[in-house]
Amino acid sequence: IARHFSRSSAVQSAIKNVTVIGGGLMGSGIAQVAAQAGQNVILVDVNSDILAKAQKSIGNNLGRVAKKIYKDTPQEAEKFVIDSMNRIKTATDALSASQTADLVVEAIVENIDVKHQLFQKLDQVAPDNTIFASNTSSLSINEIASVIKRKDKFGGLHFFIPVPVMRLLEVVRGAETSETTYKSMMDWGKSLGKTCITCKDTPGFVVNRLLVPYIAEAIRLFERGDAFARDIDIAMKLGAGYLIGPLELADYIGLDTIKFILDGWHKKFPEEQLFKPIPLLNKLVSEGKLGMKTGEGFYKYE
Ligand code: CAA
Ligand code: NAD
């Protein structure tokens, strides 16, 4: 399988200063790929322990990327890692961190109220020309934008985990996203070496509208006792050619994130069977078993 990593890309973007809000699984990856592409990044999280963890994992992951790009030149590999790391600053105050941003990418918890609170405050302090984007997996871009004035400068930039490896970026045009903003988002995605597709503001855009019901069905199959977890994952890898099985993938994405997505869609579309709550998923989340990030989900991790 072809893996593609960019150090600097042929596609130029006018965006040079990026603020990424949320330093978890996704935010750390987004910060990494922007820094790799030569942009200045401020990575923000309310939790400074998370920022320390993010810096460590970015360092490790840059090392993996550098080994591939600079196979035969270890000194250049080391320089690549150091230079990229130096482009990433961290902060706990989203408002001051957004004052020099050309683009703010939000990757905080999948909750519309929390996202609203953040964007409402940012809208008041960020420069007028700053573009805002959300990495939401499942919420409506128009609904998130409803609380801000710069609706023309808002859109969705939906990355995939692990961000440095997955080559796709879904660029979501909201009802009021301007042509200029849309073009800037596409150019920025390309400058990171991603392949960009255009999506409408529909639930789950393209990938998650197909992927989340599939994962939910796998959890239900396991919950009914129809097959062992390991066998469900083996089945989809060896029988359908997937890189990773659905329960492993759920653990990788985060069971809390899967639950946030399903709950949100269930509330909006109560008749849709595919979005119905799953008692086993709710139980694991309530026990703090959120998958790889907490050391246990459907599987245990060291
Ligand atoms: N940074 C840089 N490189 C990384 C990396 C990271 N974070 N994670 C993995 N890699 C690289 C490794 O160095 C390795 O490179 P080589 O093959 O060149 O040696 C390669 O990726 C494979 O990694 P591993 O050997 O560690 O493990 P693996 O072969 O089991 O692959 C995986 C792990 C990359 C996660 C792979 O299973 C995969 O791509 N799975 C699909 C993931 C997927 O479907 N993501 C989308 C989820 S949906 C989503 O994100 C949307 C949403 O809103 C929920
Ligand atoms: P995560 O739990 O790993 O990280 C979220 C981070 O946001 C946490 O570190 C938390 O401390 C921080 N945070 C919460 N509220 C904040 C605030 N007001 N200001 C600053 N920081 C705040 O979650 P994640 O998996 O990185 O997901 C983040 C977003 O990306 C969600 O919207 C999710 O739906 C979306 N997403 C997730 C995936 C995935 O596979 N996990 C893929 C694509 C998109």
Side-chain angles (χ1 to χ4, degrees):
I1 288 178
R3 302 277 186 192
H4 172 92
F5 294 102
S6 73
R7 49 188 141 167
S8 64
S9 171
V11 177
Q12 292 295 315
S13 165
I15 289 165
K16 304 289 177 223
N17 298 299
V18 183
T19 297
V20 180
I21 307 185
L25 295 174
M26 296 306 291
S28 57
I30 298 166
Q32 176 183 332
V33 293
Q36 264 172 237
Q39 297 157 16
N40 303 312
V41 180
I42 305 181
L43 179 62
V44 181
D45 202 287
V46 282
N47 181 337
S48 49
D49 292 343
I50 298 266
L51 289 172
K53 202 170 148 195
Q55 274 177 311
K56 197 163 166 240
S57 83
I58 292 171
N60 290 338
N61 290 332
L62 279 168
R64 295 162 99 166
V65 174
K67 252 193 206 157
K68 265 168 244 173
I69 304 178
Y70 302 102
K71 281 201 275 315
D72 306 317
T73 48
Q75 276 169 344
E76 280 190 55
E78 199 183 327
K79 185 175 181 313
F80 169 82
V81 174
I82 293 170
D83 288 350
S84 303
M85 286 300 282
N86 283 342
R87 285 189 209 105
I88 305 177
K89 308 271 175 281
T90 59
T92 50
D93 178 12
L95 300 188
S96 55
S98 301
Q99 285 175 356
T100 51
D102 301 316
L103 169 69
V104 174
V105 183
E106 167 274 312
I108 66 168
V109 61
E110 187 75 339
N111 176 306
I112 187 89
D113 297 330
V114 185
K115 290 192 197 282
H116 274 165
Q117 279 169 25
L118 175 71
F119 278 117
Q120 225 163 8
K121 284 192 230 144
L122 285 176
D123 199 27
Q124 286 162 20
V125 298
D128 288 347
N129 59 348
T130 303
I131 295 175
F132 289 172
S134 175
N135 180 51
T136 181
S137 298
S138 63
L139 300 171
S140 156
I141 291 302
N142 293 335
E143 271 179 46
I144 300 176
S146 66
V147 297
I148 59 168
K149 292 207 185 79
R150 65 184 80 197
K151 294 183 175 58
D152 59 322
K153 295 195 185 69
F154 189 91
L157 286 170
H158 186 225
F159 288 85
F160 297 85
I161 188 170
V163 178
V165 177
M166 304 306 284
R167 297 174 57 182
L168 183 69
L169 177 64
E170 289 181 331
V171 176
V172 189
R173 296 183 82 154
E176 296 185 59
T177 310
S178 71
E179 185 63 29
T180 313
T181 299
Y182 163 70
K183 198 174 170 304
S184 299
M185 295 198 303
M186 292 293 271
D187 286 348
W188 183 67
K190 290 178 198 161
S191 81
L192 306 181
K194 301 298 181 197
T195 297
C196 300
I197 63 160
T198 306
C199 298
K200 284 191 184 169
D201 184 25
T202 55
F205 316 124
V206 176
V207 171
N208 282 343
R209 182 62 185 83
L210 300 173
L211 192 63
V212 173
Y214 153 70
I215 290 174
E217 281 297 277
I219 301 174
R220 291 186 184 104
L221 199 149
F222 174 60
E223 186 182 45
R224 290 195 299 270
D226 292 351
F228 297 119
R230 190 58 75 193
D231 286 352
I232 294 171
D233 285 331
I234 289 174
M236 294 314 289
K237 286 189 282 193
L238 302 191
Y242 284 43
L243 269 177
I244 182 171
L247 301 177
E248 293 169 319
L249 185 55
D251 273 359
Y252 196 46
I253 290 170
L255 302 189
D256 52 342
T257 297
I258 303 281
K259 178 174 155 52
F260 283 132
I261 297 173
L262 277 178
D263 287 352
W265 289 353
H266 175 59
K267 212 169 145 194
K268 267 193 161 168
F269 309 98
E271 299 309 319
E272 175 56 69
Q273 294 298 318
L274 288 170
F275 304 157
K276 285 253 153 63
I278 310 173
L280 174 63
L281 178 67
N282 293 347
K283 179 173 177 287
L284 289 169
V285 171
S286 70
E287 291 168 353
K289 293 175 183 162
L290 308 183
M292 271 174 112
K293 64 184 169 187
T294 58
E296 187 171 352
F298 291 102
Y299 299 98
K300 285 193 176 160
Y301 304 88
E302 297 280 283

